[in-house]
Amino acid sequence: MNDARIEDRYRCAREIYAEHGVDTERALGELKSVPLSVHCWQGDDVGGFERPDSELAGSGLQVTGSHPGKARTVGELRADLGEAFSLIPGSHRVNLHAIYGEFGREAVDRNAIGPEHFRGWVEWARESGLKLDFNSTCFAHPLAASGFTLSHPDKAVRRFWIDHVKCCRKIAAAMGRELKSPCLHNLWIPDGSKEVPFDRLAARTLLKEALDEIFEVEYSPLHMKDSLESKLFGIGSESFVVGSHEFYLGYALSRGKLICLDLGHYHPTESVADKVSAILLFSPSLVFHLSRGVRWDSDHVVILNDEIRAVTEEIVRTKALDRVHIALDYFDASLNRVGAWVIGARAALKGLLAALLLPEAELRRAEAASDGFRRLAIREEVGTLPLGAVWDRFCLEADVPTGGRWMDEIARYEREVLSARTTP
Ligand code: RNT
Ligand code: ZN
């Protein structure tokens, strides 16, 4: 479809939405200002650059698939991210993990990393017009092999991980200061056990104490913010997870920290969307890890499914778009990794657009009149409104491919760049 047709289709769509009291121009304007935090770890299956043979074994996370062409160096990862961003409308952030530093030839353990190892990322982000977020990496390490880190019964192991997280917060603050945008430091730990523990309180008390020590160091909120991410269960932590939702909710609310809700970290029928209005009454902000749970896996590529629609609707409904932090979190090694980034990022933005285009006034009127029939029927009508025409216009304006044309670009990149990479 050429640009003129896209404009034509958009004009029709604008009229149709206007009949429902929806201003498409306003929706597009709002969408443009939403940054997504794009996770670097989709590009190399959560490998990182600590050692040439870095891998996830025994970390509680599992990446499956062996599609060729994964990024092997920091240069390749940045090139791949650049390719993905050229196909994602808007201006966004990159979410790094501590294992993605540039450590050179020296072996730097996790309790000794510093801002100097991430200088290259900051420079790259500045040149690329991107902002950065950061994560401690409390997995894929010999001292995490037991499945416990910050709540490990051995004080020396706890010390190592407390020091690691302290280093990471310092790095995050440096990134935020240099890029003039608060860097979100998110903490997820794998701590938990395959079998039923006898004393759950003991581990949770240790975690609480470790966190209190970590957060003794204060940073300006202009430089960094902290979030804590819970999980229902993981591989090897099926019976007990120390950092459960209730644990972190209590911790975060009592300590002025943020909660990170990962869409793949709850009971399959539990609605994460429903949590948004509840938590936002007590917390100034919220962090999302957009993901897709499938059976035992919590990290499938994000697509525009009901859950994404529900969560984005709640973010828009609670007027929290400018306060929440929306990050992607998934890893799929079975298909083109750059393409997976683009699918997920475009799906998240489409979800937000769909939410911004809901006929709010009509729905509010029906609800105020206790007209349950009309409220449900309006939703049904919305299903066939021309979202795609507005989306195409968004892409056109952002100078990224419209419709499915980005798929051809991914295919070209695979042919010309990714297929030349061989496993080291
Ligand atoms: C793991 C959490 C966590 C990780 C990343 C790599 O279950 O979702 O966010 O996916 O930190
Ligand atoms: Zn997550």
Side-chain angles (χ1 to χ4, degrees), residues 46 56-63 97 139 188 231 235 298-299 331:
V46 208
L56 278 173
S59 68
L61 299 180
Q62 184 95 55
V63 187
H97 242 284
F139 53 80
W188 171 77
K231 193 167 182 170
I235 300 168
S298 62
D299 300 292
F331 21 93

Side-chain angles (χ1 to χ4, degrees), residues 229 262 265 289 329:
E229 179 182 3
D262 185 309
H265 288 192
H289 269 190
D329 181 16

Side-chain angles (χ1 to χ4, degrees), residues 41 186 188 229-230 260-263 265 289-291 299 328-330:
W41 52 91
N186 179 58
W188 171 77
E229 179 182 3
S230 68
C260 170
L261 300 171
D262 185 309
L263 264 51
H265 288 192
H289 269 190
L290 300 186
S291 189
D299 300 292
L328 303 176
D329 181 16
Y330 51 80

